[in-house]
Amino acid sequence: MPVEFTRTLSAITLLQGLDEDERRRLESRCHWRQCAPGETVLERGSESREVLFIVQGAVNVVDFSISGREIAYATLRAGDGFGELAAIDGQPRSASVVAVEKTLLAVLPSERFLDLLQENAGVTFRLLQRLANMVRSGDVRIMELSTLAATQRVYAELLRMAVPDTAVPSLWVIHPLPPLREIASRISTTRETVARALSQLYPTGLLRRKGRSLYIMDRAKFQETLESLKADGGIPPRI
């Protein structure tokens, strides 16, 4: 049976703190869009200005090199939003967005989004925090591309993606583990390099794959392994 999504903004991170009446008024100004996996949500360079909130599902923010190779910037999931840069500065979209699973989006006109920022200091502050985080993340990625080998970038990306496991907080988990080609596109390397980097760590016991989940068994030792790779040329030590 088809999956039905509830059309509400109650779980959108940026909008936390709005009272129910404010949230419902905002919902009434949105139009709702369902996207299939692989569907392009936004095109880089387009002149649209709406801000989009992910109610259910997930999308990838991507761009393409001159040779046509896909470069993934981020995966955004339910609770996230995107499109605010074009709404704020009026410039064309800076990247493309593609749905990676069945996704429900709430699409808010830019005029109403800008009104919201002027009317609600809490929303504006959370947006500033998000934009600051984007700048910091971009700086880190530029530094990694400039200074780290491909294997080191793979492990650094895994550390960024992992979150504490809800069942066993001492473990960190990536779920669902994206396709290896997607991880590769985020860090400017190849799928084969990502696969090789993972296979080098499985024997150490630091990584364990279970279904669509990848577990980091000891995050501190994983971090130590990454640091050691910077000194010894890229081969993880036996633990």
Side-chain angles (χ1 to χ4, degrees):
M1 295 182 64
V3 177
E4 294 295 331
F5 295 140
T6 302
R7 297 186 172 191
T8 176
L9 298 174
S10 60
I12 302 302
T13 302
L14 184 66
L15 305 178
Q16 297 303 302
L18 293 181
D19 63 38
E20 186 173 353
D21 288 341
E22 290 176 312
R23 176 173 55 78
R24 290 189 181 277
R25 282 195 296 271
L26 206 60
E27 289 169 352
S28 70
R29 298 296 300 274
C30 293
H31 73 266
W32 304 81
R33 177 178 173 185
Q34 285 197 340
C35 298
E39 182 177 343
T40 298
V41 179
L42 290 178
E43 288 275 8
R44 184 182 188 276
S46 71
E47 299 290 339
S48 64
R49 298 287 181 265
E50 301 91 349
V51 177
L52 301 92
F53 301 109
I54 306 173
V55 178
Q56 292 287 342
V59 302
N60 280 344
V61 182
V62 302
D63 204 345
F64 296 90
S65 68
I66 295 176
S67 65
R69 182 170 63 88
E70 181 180 294
I71 302 169
Y73 293 131
T75 298
L76 305 178
R77 303 190 181 278
D80 292 329
F82 57 95
E84 62 269 44
L85 294 183
I88 293 170
D89 67 12
Q91 297 298 307
R93 301 293 189 183
S94 59
S96 296
V97 179
V98 179
V100 295
E101 55 189 68
K102 187 174 181 180
T103 299
L104 176 65
L105 300 169
V107 185
L108 183 66
S110 60
E111 297 84 359
R112 183 64 192 98
F113 178 72
L114 295 176
D115 288 343
L116 176 66
L117 296 183
Q118 294 180 34
E119 296 165 0
N120 193 295
V123 172
T124 303
F125 182 70
R126 282 188 288 277
L127 177 62
L128 290 173
Q129 289 178 311
R130 169 176 159 75
L131 296 178
N133 183 64
M134 289 169 59
V135 172
R136 290 181 182 274
S137 297
D139 289 345
V140 169
R141 289 180 180 277
I142 291 170
M143 178 61 71
E144 289 179 354
L145 284 170
S146 301
T147 62
L148 299 186
T151 297
Q152 298 163 17
R153 298 200 303 273
V154 173
Y155 299 151
E157 186 66 20
L158 294 180
L159 281 172
R160 272 193 293 271
M161 295 168 63
V163 298
D165 182 39
T166 54
V168 185
S170 62
L171 301 181
W172 288 65
V173 63
I174 302 169
H175 178 83
L177 181 67
L180 299 190
R181 60 172 177 77
E182 182 179 313
I183 298 175
S185 70
R186 293 184 187 183
I187 56 176
S188 191
T189 188
T190 64
R191 180 192 180 281
E192 292 73 22
T193 298
V194 176
R196 184 166 58 251
L198 294 179
S199 67
Q200 289 173 349
L201 273 193
Y202 286 135
T204 70
L206 283 177
L207 289 183
R208 182 173 299 169
R209 180 78 180 268
K210 184 176 181 181
R212 297 181 66 198
S213 298
L214 182 71
Y215 290 90
I216 297 178
M217 308 305 292
D218 187 324
R219 192 180 190 281
K221 286 186 177 180
F222 193 98
Q223 181 70 56
E224 290 174 7
T225 297
L226 174 59
E227 295 301 322
S228 70
L229 288 177
K230 298 175 183 178
D232 67 16
I235 304 299
R238 295 284 176 173
I239 297 174

